[in-house]
Amino acid sequence: MVFFNTHIGLLISATLLWLNLPVSIVMPEKLAPTSKGRVLAQRESEQKKPVPIYPGNPPPPGREPLPPERLRRESRPQTDFRVSALQPNYLGDLWVGSWLGLARINPNTGRILARIGLPNYTVGALAQDKVGRIWVGTYEGLLRVDPRSNEVTAQNFLLPSNRVLSLLVDRRGYLWVGSDRGLAMISPDEGLLMTTVQELPGVSANALALDEAGQLWVGTLEGLVQVDTASAFVIGRVSSPPATTVQTLTLGPEGMLWAGTPNSLLVIDPETTEILRSVTPMRGRNVTSVSFAQDRSVWVGTDQGLFKLKADSGEVLGQLANLPSNKILALSPDTGNKLWVGTTEGLAWVSLSTGRVRPHLAFIREAPDNF
């Protein structure tokens, strides 16, 4: 009898399903529920529950910037565009050291080839060692950059002072580091401190140059000092006129030292330590950068513009206008058929064939209206 009732029930259910009508199967009380019946009852009970509504997920938390990015963001409101150092390398590229960091550009096209992330963005000096590595003096220490990878491969923060003002590689390949508390000599391969000259007359090593004999000359707060590169001893001094701060220093093609001071440009004989002359057009001017061109003329940067002089007579051959700033900090002549000029408001270049002056838009605050 039970079998007959079940058979009739299944037949009626099949007919209702074919007619697309709802089906409700009632199991006889005497028939024990099977596992299939339990699953069906579970599904029916789940369908009767209201569909849950989930609130939208909150947006993911913002990514915390990495330290170099954070420093760049924090420095934006007080961005300083001064370009304080320029260094051509053996590949023909130009390294640009600024208060925003270090970059490598193609001087022929001006295209930026790389930007180097540094622990400190304030670059004070640049130099290239004997195997082409770039040394970077910052206001928080010394770094070495491999030009093949554009990565920092060595650093030294154990100098007399980490405020690096000048860099120079001597004939033996050692790196001399000038700071506001004296000199240090560094082994370029290991980046290790070899010796220091802390009791330097005039204290601050503002500028460095080698004479024709390979001896080191140091521009200080009190004139010029000669240091023996082998012993690191002070062996000579130019202190007349007294208490003259030397801000920039270079060796001319005739073997004379050219020293820029806050009120003059001096020509000095390194053999006799005698001041030969004060360049007349530069008297009373604050000379901040001096560099010789291949045609033996001399470019002189001041805080009132850039001048081109005849080296033998001091005659002014020209003065450049339309630079990002009249305060000149660094010069790199004959680089990519241009004169590159670092100023307190950015970088510019001068065509050596046409004399055209143009700013590098990646290194200035904004282009002047006359460009």
Side-chain angles (χ1 to χ4, degrees), residues 108-119:
N108 297 296
T109 63
R111 186 170 69 92
I112 296 177
L113 303 176
R115 288 189 182 273
I116 316 301
L118 301 178

Side-chain angles (χ1 to χ4, degrees), residues 54-95:
Y54 298 98
N57 294 329
R63 184 179 65 88
E64 183 68 15
L66 297 174
E69 296 174 335
R70 183 159 55 245
L71 178 59
R72 182 179 294 276
R73 291 184 188 181
E74 292 171 354
S75 64
R76 278 177 183 169
Q78 299 177 353
T79 301
D80 195 320
F81 285 85
R82 75 184 71 186
V83 173
S84 48
L86 298 171
Q87 177 63 55
N89 71 358
Y90 71 100
L91 296 173
D93 300 331
L94 179 66
W95 291 83

Side-chain angles (χ1 to χ4, degrees), residues 240-295:
S240 177
T244 298
T245 299
V246 175
Q247 303 176 139
T248 181
L249 187 63
T250 191
L251 186 71
E254 302 297 329
M256 300 296 108
L257 291 170
W258 289 64
T261 78
N263 54 21
S264 63
L265 176 61
L266 305 177
V267 181
I268 300 162
D269 186 340
E271 291 187 3
T272 64
T273 69
E274 177 185 0
I275 298 177
L276 301 180
R277 60 191 172 100
S278 173
V279 179
T280 303
M282 295 296 107
R283 289 177 184 172
R285 296 186 183 272
N286 183 11
V287 178
T288 53
S289 184
V290 180
S291 187
F292 279 84
Q294 291 178 358
D295 62 3

Side-chain angles (χ1 to χ4, degrees), residues 23-358:
V23 180
S24 177
I25 299 177
V26 179
M27 297 291 293
E29 295 180 357
K30 294 181 180 180
L31 185 65
T34 63
S35 60
K36 292 183 178 179
R38 286 196 297 269
V39 172
L40 179 60
Q42 183 178 359
R43 288 178 180 173
E44 287 178 348
S45 63
E46 288 176 354
Q47 289 176 356
K48 293 178 182 179
K49 293 180 180 179
V51 178
I53 300 175
Y54 298 98
N57 294 329
R63 184 179 65 88
E64 183 68 15
L66 297 174
E69 296 174 335
R70 183 159 55 245
L71 178 59
R72 182 179 294 276
R73 291 184 188 181
E74 292 171 354
S75 64
R76 278 177 183 169
Q78 299 177 353
T79 301
D80 195 320
F81 285 85
R82 75 184 71 186
V83 173
S84 48
L86 298 171
Q87 177 63 55
N89 71 358
Y90 71 100
L91 296 173
D93 300 331
L94 179 66
W95 291 83
V96 181
S98 73
W99 282 36
L100 294 176
L102 179 66
R104 180 181 183 178
I105 69 174
N106 182 330
N108 297 296
T109 63
R111 186 170 69 92
I112 296 177
L113 303 176
R115 288 189 182 273
I116 316 301
L118 301 178
N120 182 274
Y121 275 10
T122 305
V123 177
L126 295 173
Q128 178 181 243
D129 65 20
K130 295 291 186 180
V131 295
R133 295 167 299 199
I134 300 298
W135 288 88
V136 187
T138 76
Y139 283 8
E140 288 188 2
L142 180 67
L143 306 167
R144 186 184 69 194
V145 175
D146 188 335
R148 296 170 298 181
S149 63
N150 295 319
E151 295 180 350
V152 176
T153 56
Q155 57 189 17
N156 191 311
F157 305 122
L158 301 176
L159 306 169
S161 168
N162 284 332
R163 186 181 177 89
V164 178
L165 304 176
S166 55
L167 294 172
L168 182 141
V169 177
D170 66 19
R171 290 184 178 178
R172 301 175 302 164
Y174 288 104
L175 177 70
W176 290 87
V177 182
S179 72
D180 59 355
R181 293 185 182 177
L183 272 174
M185 187 178 75
I186 302 292
S187 169
D189 293 329
E190 295 83 13
L192 300 177
L193 181 66
M194 304 293 291
T195 188
T196 61
V197 185
Q198 292 183 263
E199 296 182 1
L200 190 69
V203 184
S204 181
N206 303 324
L208 304 175
L210 288 179
D211 62 21
E212 290 186 329
Q215 300 291 24
L216 180 67
W217 286 86
V218 186
T220 74
L221 298 175
E222 298 178 1
L224 276 174
V225 174
Q226 187 183 27
V227 175
D228 181 75
T229 54
S231 65
F233 290 153
V234 176
I235 57 175
R237 185 176 182 183
V238 177
S239 56
S240 177
T244 298
T245 299
V246 175
Q247 303 176 139
T248 181
L249 187 63
T250 191
L251 186 71
E254 302 297 329
M256 300 296 108
L257 291 170
W258 289 64
T261 78
N263 54 21
S264 63
L265 176 61
L266 305 177
V267 181
I268 300 162
D269 186 340
E271 291 187 3
T272 64
T273 69
E274 177 185 0
I275 298 177
L276 301 180
R277 60 191 172 100
S278 173
V279 179
T280 303
M282 295 296 107
R283 289 177 184 172
R285 296 186 183 272
N286 183 11
V287 178
T288 53
S289 184
V290 180
S291 187
F292 279 84
Q294 291 178 358
D295 62 3
R296 302 174 78 89
S297 62
V298 57
W299 291 97
V300 182
T302 73
D303 65 352
Q304 296 179 344
L306 178 61
F307 300 84
K308 186 177 184 180
L309 308 180
K310 288 187 66 176
D312 54 357
S313 64
E315 176 188 353
V316 176
L317 299 175
Q319 180 178 1
L320 292 184
N322 298 329
L323 294 168
S325 168
N326 285 329
K327 297 180 179 180
I328 312 301
L329 300 178
L331 298 170
S332 182
D334 305 300
T335 307
N337 196 35
K338 301 176 182 67
L339 166 69
W340 290 89
V341 185
T343 76
T344 56
E345 289 295 328
L347 180 67
W349 55 268
V350 183
S351 171
L352 298 182
S353 56
T354 65
R356 181 187 184 189
V357 180
R358 298 292 293 176

